[in-house]
């Protein structure tokens, strides 16, 4: 892998929590760090905080709401124009289950179940659109921030219209992200672009976890160390298509290894995002 100080790295969902802490750690190592968030005020505050703490002037901020796939496309277009070379993409942006007791089924602006849209369809689309940038000067890495919480996809009711549970919605979206990881790794074999997925830590002390459950079991720093391992370890130069539980390779939900299910998900995802079959 190239030295981190020579890399341009995009981290989605980096105005707060795990994404912000990962961005800070990479900026300290001299990387050009591209922050993403959906709230302009929080995003700019995070950029300023990282600039002040690291002295690294190569920290930029990009605004996009992942609940709207048209904004994902605009983000990709902007990045392609301003950073035609990208060395690493960390898909971290996501939405949790919310306040379980008060949760109701919500839709994205495109009419899709909100957690499936933000946690899965948005990174699926963004990653595909940014592949030309990642192919410019390999090697490159794609890291998908998943979860140990995974529920199988019921293809007859992917949008959970018949039975909605916010925890199931979250877990389904994270399993979909893992399935995408395995498929994309196969697609990119031989291109010096690795694709891996990880569960960073259980119930970190983030705003998202506190909103959902009111308590935490681990720290953002623990999760950051796991993400940094996948981002910076030379031992992973040729490791691709794997699921990690923190820093250990682990076994994902069994559906992630079902080739027929993955093919169905890929076809559905291409249809929902407007991507044609490669």
């Amino acid at each position: 892998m190239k030295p981190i100080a020579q890399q341009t790295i995009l981290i989605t969902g980096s105005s707060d929590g795990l994404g912000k802490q990962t961005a800070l750690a990479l900026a300290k190592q001299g990387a050009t760090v591209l922050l993403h968030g959906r709230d302009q005020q929080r995003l700019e505050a995070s950029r300023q905080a990282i600039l002040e703490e690291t002295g690294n002037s190569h920290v930029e901020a990009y605004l996009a709401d992942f609940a709207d796939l048209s904004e994902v496309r605009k983000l990709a277009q902007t990045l392609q124009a301003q950073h035609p070379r990208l060395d690493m993409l960390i898909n971290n942006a996501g939405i949790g289950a919310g306040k379980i007791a008060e949760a109701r089924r919500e839709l994205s602006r495109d009419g899709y179940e909100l957690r499936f849209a933000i946690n899965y369809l948005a990174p699926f689309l963004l990653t595909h659109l940014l592949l030309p940038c990642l192919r410019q000067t390999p090697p490159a890495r794609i890291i998908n921030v998943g979860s140990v919480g995974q529920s199988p996809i019921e293809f007859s009711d992917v949008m959970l219209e018949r039975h909605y549970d916010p925890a199931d919605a979250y877990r389904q979206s994270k399993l979909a992200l893992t399935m995408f990881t395995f498929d994309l790794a196969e697609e990119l074999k031989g291109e010096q672009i690795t694709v891996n997925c990880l569960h960073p830590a259980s119930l970190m002390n983030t705003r998202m976890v506190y909103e959902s459950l009111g308590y935490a079991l681990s720290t953002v720093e623990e999760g950051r160390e796991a993400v940094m391992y996948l981002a910076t370890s030379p031992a992973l130069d040729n490791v691709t298509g794997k699921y990690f539980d923190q820093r250990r390779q682990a076994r994902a939900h069994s559906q992630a290894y079902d080739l027929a299910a993955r093919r169905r998900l890929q076809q559905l995802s291409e249809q929902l995002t407007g991507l044609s079959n490669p």
Side-chain angles (χ1 to χ4, degrees):
M1 66 180 295
K2 295 184 285 288
I4 293 297
Q6 296 177 15
Q7 295 194 36
T8 298
I9 302 171
L10 170 63
I11 309 168
T12 67
S14 45
S15 62
D16 197 6
L18 178 63
K20 180 180 177 181
Q21 288 301 312
T22 302
L24 177 62
L26 290 167
K28 284 181 178 179
Q29 295 191 28
T32 295
V33 177
L34 312 180
L35 306 175
H36 156 262
R38 63 184 178 88
D39 181 286
Q40 182 68 61
Q41 187 173 357
R42 284 214 317 263
L43 185 59
E44 182 57 28
S46 296
R47 189 183 76 85
Q48 287 294 335
I50 293 172
L51 286 174
E52 291 171 10
E53 185 165 344
T54 66
N56 183 345
S57 61
H58 301 292
V59 179
E60 304 173 21
Y62 293 86
L63 188 70
D65 185 349
F66 277 13
D68 185 342
L69 292 180
S70 70
E71 293 200 20
V72 176
R73 292 187 185 93
K74 290 177 185 176
L75 172 64
Q77 290 172 353
T78 300
L79 289 166
Q80 287 170 338
Q82 298 183 3
H83 293 281
R85 177 183 69 82
L86 192 63
D87 300 289
M88 190 181 306
L89 168 60
I90 302 177
N91 285 311
N92 168 75
I95 179 174
K99 295 179 180 179
I100 303 295
E102 303 174 11
R104 58 183 176 82
R105 184 172 174 271
E106 300 172 273
L107 300 180
S108 71
R109 292 192 188 129
D110 302 279
Y112 307 141
E113 192 281 314
L114 189 64
R115 282 152 185 84
F116 193 77
I118 293 176
N119 295 351
Y120 170 63
L121 290 176
F124 175 89
L125 177 60
L126 181 65
T127 302
H128 278 290
L129 294 177
L130 292 180
L131 281 178
C133 302
L134 290 157
R135 285 177 165 132
Q136 281 299 309
T137 55
R141 296 187 182 191
I142 299 169
I143 299 167
N144 293 325
V145 178
S147 172
V148 72
Q150 301 170 6
S151 291
I153 299 166
E154 176 51 65
F155 285 98
S156 65
D157 189 28
V158 175
M159 299 304 163
L160 304 177
E161 295 178 271
R162 293 198 302 267
H163 172 71
Y164 181 77
D165 178 271
D168 284 345
Y170 173 80
R171 293 168 186 148
Q172 173 184 256
S173 70
K174 289 301 186 178
L175 177 58
L177 191 64
T178 304
M179 295 164 77
F180 168 52
T181 299
F182 294 170
D183 273 341
L184 188 60
E186 284 293 323
E187 180 185 331
L188 298 178
K189 269 191 174 177
E191 294 197 42
Q192 296 187 67
I193 302 175
T194 62
V195 192
N196 292 297
C197 182
L198 85 156
H199 166 68
S202 294
L203 302 179
M204 294 173 287
N205 57 339
T206 63
R207 183 166 52 92
M208 185 173 77
V209 169
Y210 281 123
E211 283 179 354
S212 298
L213 299 171
Y215 65 91
L217 296 178
S218 63
T219 66
V220 172
E221 288 73 21
E222 290 176 77
R224 178 196 63 202
E225 291 309 304
V227 176
M228 287 296 290
Y229 174 68
L230 265 67
T232 65
S233 174
L236 301 182
D237 279 350
N238 298 308
V239 175
T240 190
K242 303 298 181 184
Y243 167 73
F244 288 77
D245 186 341
Q246 295 188 287
R247 296 167 57 126
R248 303 181 307 276
Q249 285 191 37
R251 183 85 177 168
H253 188 281
S254 59
Q255 193 181 50
Y257 304 95
D258 182 333
L259 296 180
R262 291 204 330 240
R263 181 58 183 160
R264 288 187 72 179
L265 178 64
Q266 181 181 353
Q267 291 173 336
L268 175 65
S269 305
E270 289 170 354
Q271 175 188 344
L272 295 178
T273 60
L275 283 177
S276 60
N277 197 347

